[in-house]
Amino acid sequence: MASLRVNNSFSILNTEPKRSLFSATTGRSRRSSSVRLTVVAETMSTDKLGIKVDKNPPESRLSQLGVRNWPKWSCPPSKFPWTYSDKETCYLLEGKVKVTPNGSNESVEIGAGDLVEFPKGMSCTWDVSVAVDKHYNFS
């Protein structure tokens, strides 16, 4: 089976060989050079400025963590400072945020579908551009 990696975020797998197709207009079979492809999403994990972001984690990972049973938190577009007294793991259902750790000129962008870990003791600024709805867990 052939496989092609695209932008490190998807694998394209050749799952079916060439086969004959029937033409409705001519009533004759013809040989097709096309193949059937299946796109398989993969989790992309990054660790930037002490913030770990898993983009598109599989449902099995979310179930293993019990994410859907965690409390929820929401906020409208806003900008505010925050300090993590414990490690927080959260899963964004909706929204878009730039998180800038204190003392840094760089930000980490997170959004819907991201599983994110913030380390204990981190002080940062949250700049919410699209309203957030998330599950969260402190440990």
Side-chain angles (χ1 to χ4, degrees):
M1 177 183 304
S3 180
L4 171 68
R5 183 164 306 280
V6 180
N7 294 334
N8 284 336
S9 60
F10 293 97
S11 292
I12 299 177
L13 306 174
N14 177 351
T15 60
E16 232 176 78
K18 297 176 186 178
R19 60 189 207 198
S20 295
L21 298 176
F22 182 78
S23 171
T25 55
T26 66
R28 290 185 266 163
S29 292
R30 62 183 175 85
R31 194 79 169 144
S32 171
S33 61
S34 63
V35 293
R36 182 176 175 176
L37 299 176
T38 302
V39 177
V40 180
E42 296 179 1
T43 300
M44 255 179 58
S45 184
T46 58
D47 193 331
K48 181 179 175 187
L49 305 174
I51 302 168
K52 182 180 175 188
V53 180
D54 288 331
K55 296 202 171 287
N56 193 33
E59 188 60 40
S60 59
R61 172 88 170 115
L62 300 177
S63 294
Q64 177 187 37
L65 292 170
V67 167
R68 307 281 184 211
N69 297 318
W70 294 350
K72 285 177 81 175
W73 179 83
S74 300
C75 86
S78 54
K79 188 173 183 176
F80 56 90
W82 188 255
T83 298
Y84 292 91
S85 56
D86 291 304
K87 177 179 115 177
E88 179 186 349
T89 304
C90 64
Y91 178 70
L92 277 76
L93 300 167
E94 296 177 6
K96 187 173 180 182
V97 182
K98 280 187 182 179
V99 180
T100 307
N102 288 1
S104 177
N105 292 326
E106 294 183 68
S107 298
V108 175
E109 292 188 26
I110 58 175
D114 290 347
L115 181 65
V116 186
E117 287 183 14
F118 297 98
K120 178 180 181 176
M122 173 178 272
S123 293
C124 58
T125 299
W126 271 53
D127 188 355
V128 180
S129 58
V130 177
V132 168
D133 188 24
K134 71 175 186 172
H135 285 288
Y136 67 95
N137 185 48
F138 287 102
S139 57

